[in-house]
Amino acid sequence: MAPRLASAAPSPFRSREERERDREEKREAVLRAAVRMFNARGFHATSLDDVAASLGISKPTIYHYLGNKEQVLIECVTRGLELLSAAADTARAQPGDGLARLRSVLRSYALVMMDDFGRCVVRTGDEFLSPEGAALFRARKRAIDLSIRALIQDGIADGSIAPVDVRMTAFTLAGALNWPGRWHAPDGPLSPSEIADAMVDILIGGLAPRT
Amino acid sequence: MAPRLASAAPSPFRSREERERDREEKREAVLRAAVRMFNARGFHATSLDDVAASLGISKPTIYHYLGNKEQVLIECVTRGLELLSAAADTARAQPGDGLARLRSVLRSYALVMMDDFGRCVVRTGDEFLSPEGAALFRARKRAIDLSIRALIQDGIADGSIAPVDVRMTAFTLAGALNWPGRWHAPDGPLSPSEIADAMVDILIGGLAPRT
DNA sequence: TCTCCTATATACTCGTCGGTATATTGATTA
DNA sequence: TAATCAATATACCGACGAGTATATAGGAGA
């Protein structure tokens, strides 16, 4: 049999980068499986044995990739917080007045809340984390809150938003948008995008200045 | 020494009703202690030994009054749901147009969410309950949701509320008002009443018909 | 080829916690 | 006064689950 070209038949011998990519991929798979189970059954009610079983591997393998159970949770929450931060930052950099940009941020925020990792942020109370974990967690959530507040400020400054209590408004908006993270079922009749649009419309309705 | 009047010196011998009242009082004390710890540390992270210790009693005493751990949680959640239902029903029966009555319901709802038992409703996901418990739980939450929807309908009918998507509006309003149950700390600078007013104003703002 | 590192498994330890068996005390009732 | 019941405690059991000790197999590098 003629020897095959390297490009046609990928060698079973992995290079350095390939192995690192493999490793990353496996880590990611563990995280995905874990976050799904955490969301469905709760953190304390999910054992790492369960997570391992759902991937057809054994518990020590999870420890090999992720250290310990809290670390798994922290990585999941961090993923979610990163999505949220990204949503806030990119939408904030767009053109348009304050109200338009706020709308855009809220929409993205709502969508993240219907993603596995976004959900996890909302479902993970401080009480599940160690004090250090909780502090980190709070700091990141605060940064996102400040982003939203800044946007509301901008809107008030440029006249696209009525003069409201910035702090309470940010709390209220975020609170409402967090909620789908608790009840949204991916198989419902409305798509995440439709839900996000509907909620944002309702919330934004009261902010425009009365003409 | 002269014998005292019964009214002046309460006898140490308790009557039937007194004993029943005592029992009820103790049950209530257990529930209060439990709900506080559940809210602070999470259901799974709170052991009944902890709850018992916080009352200076022993675990079997809790079992004597309440059966088992899930029962304790169910009673707490039920208390909260009753407060919520009561808030919805009494405010709904008041005079005024739909918008005014909705405002009143939302305000009461928000206040309940800053009470120990109200908080517990929001912090207790279905995943903590047995299937039967979760079903009961969902049914009662649904009833409350329907109350709010009915009120929005009324407001649309009488012209005090703009024609909105009733279902999504009810979800959004309730979602926003649920949130204080997760972050509100009783020692913050704003009183529950102030928070409730501020949130309701923000949420209601968008519902009045544009003139 | 010998050694070392990575990935993975099996099988264990140990603490925690829900729940229970049983004893005790004292008031209630027949 | 004997029998009973309510209230409470101590001491235990059994399960579960986080985390670990240890073994193995095979590729990577010297």
Side-chain angles (χ1 to χ4, degrees), chain A residues 12-193:
Chain A
F13 299 86
R14 327 244 101 197
S15 75
R16 184 73 170 285
E17 300 88 40
E18 277 173 325
R19 267 181 292 132
E20 271 176 11
R21 203 166 38 72
D22 275 14
R23 190 186 166 88
E24 204 47 47
E25 209 172 297
K26 289 178 187 174
R27 244 180 90 102
E28 216 62 36
V30 171
L31 252 26
R32 269 241 119 73
V35 80
R36 291 231 170 89
M37 293 186 91
F38 289 164
N39 286 340
R41 303 149 58 155
F43 177 68
H44 286 300
T46 303
S47 78
L48 290 188
D49 277 317
D50 291 340
V51 175
S54 84
L55 289 163
I57 62 176
S58 69
K59 187 170 50 171
T61 300
I62 295 184
Y63 280 83
H64 181 66
Y65 287 103
L66 283 155
N68 64 31
K69 197 185 179 187
E70 194 193 353
Q71 203 56 45
V72 176
L73 180 60
I74 286 181
E75 289 266 353
C76 291
V77 172
T78 301
R79 287 277 192 296
L81 287 167
E82 272 162 7
L83 291 174
L84 247 21
S85 296
D89 293 343
T90 67
R92 194 144 69 118
Q94 281 176 358
D97 60 20
L99 184 63
R101 280 180 295 150
L102 179 63
R103 173 176 235 124
S104 161
V105 169
L106 295 184
R107 199 186 125 81
S108 306
Y109 189 108
L111 287 174
V112 172
M113 278 304 155
M114 291 176 264
D115 168 271
D116 287 333
F117 290 110
R119 258 180 168 58
C120 182
V121 172
V122 152
R123 300 176 86 106
T124 303
D126 299 13
E127 64 270 12
F128 296 133
L129 270 34
S130 64
E132 310 83 61
L136 213 111
F137 193 21
R138 263 200 302 276
R140 303 192 78 145
K141 286 201 287 190
R142 180 163 177 74
I144 294 165
D145 182 45
L146 289 179
S147 263
I148 295 179
R149 289 195 209 178
L151 223 42
I152 297 173
Q153 286 283 22
D154 289 356
I156 295 176
D158 71 24
S160 57
I161 295 180
V164 291
D165 176 341
V166 175
R167 202 175 104 90
M168 282 307 298
T169 302
F171 264 137
T172 305
L173 297 178
L177 297 178
N178 282 339
W179 210 238
R182 300 197 69 87
W183 55 258
H184 173 67
D187 53 343
L190 264 48
S191 73
S193 183

Side-chain angles (χ1 to χ4, degrees), chain B:
Chain B
M1 254 181 257
R4 290 173 186 166
L5 291 170
S7 62
S11 151
F13 299 86
R14 329 242 100 200
S15 76
R16 184 70 172 286
E17 300 89 40
E18 277 174 326
R19 267 181 293 128
E20 269 176 15
R21 201 167 40 72
D22 275 13
R23 190 185 166 88
E24 205 45 49
E25 209 173 296
K26 289 178 187 174
R27 242 179 92 101
E28 216 61 37
V30 171
L31 251 25
R32 269 241 119 73
V35 79
R36 290 232 168 89
M37 293 186 92
F38 290 164
N39 286 339
R41 304 147 58 153
F43 177 68
H44 286 300
T46 303
S47 77
L48 290 188
D49 276 317
D50 291 339
V51 175
S54 84
L55 290 164
I57 61 176
S58 70
K59 188 170 49 174
T61 301
I62 296 183
Y63 278 85
H64 181 66
Y65 287 103
L66 282 155
N68 66 29
K69 196 184 179 189
E70 194 193 354
Q71 203 55 45
V72 176
L73 181 61
I74 286 181
E75 289 267 353
C76 290
V77 172
T78 301
R79 287 277 191 298
L81 286 167
E82 273 162 7
L83 291 175
L84 247 21
S85 296
D89 293 343
T90 67
R92 193 142 71 116
Q94 282 175 358
D97 60 19
L99 184 64
R101 281 180 295 149
L102 178 63
R103 172 175 237 123
S104 160
V105 169
L106 296 184
R107 198 186 125 82
S108 307
Y109 188 109
L111 287 174
V112 172
M113 278 304 154
M114 292 177 264
D115 168 271
D116 287 332
F117 291 110
R119 257 181 169 58
C120 183
V121 173
V122 151
R123 301 177 84 106
T124 302
D126 299 13
E127 64 269 13
F128 296 133
L129 270 36
S130 64
E132 310 84 61
L136 213 109
F137 192 21
R138 262 200 302 277
R140 302 193 77 145
K141 287 201 286 191
R142 180 162 178 76
I144 294 166
D145 182 46
L146 289 179
S147 263
I148 295 179
R149 288 195 210 179
L151 223 41
I152 297 174
Q153 286 282 24
D154 290 355
I156 295 176
D158 71 24
S160 57
I161 294 179
V164 292
D165 176 340
V166 175
R167 202 176 104 88
M168 282 306 299
T169 302
F171 264 137
T172 305
L173 298 178
L177 296 178
N178 282 339
W179 211 237
R182 299 196 70 86
W183 55 258
H184 173 68
D187 53 343
L190 264 49
S191 74
S193 183
E194 288 170 316
I195 293 174
D197 282 332
M199 294 189 81
V200 172
D201 280 346
I202 292 164
L203 291 170
I204 284 284
L207 296 181
R210 296 270 156 171
T211 48

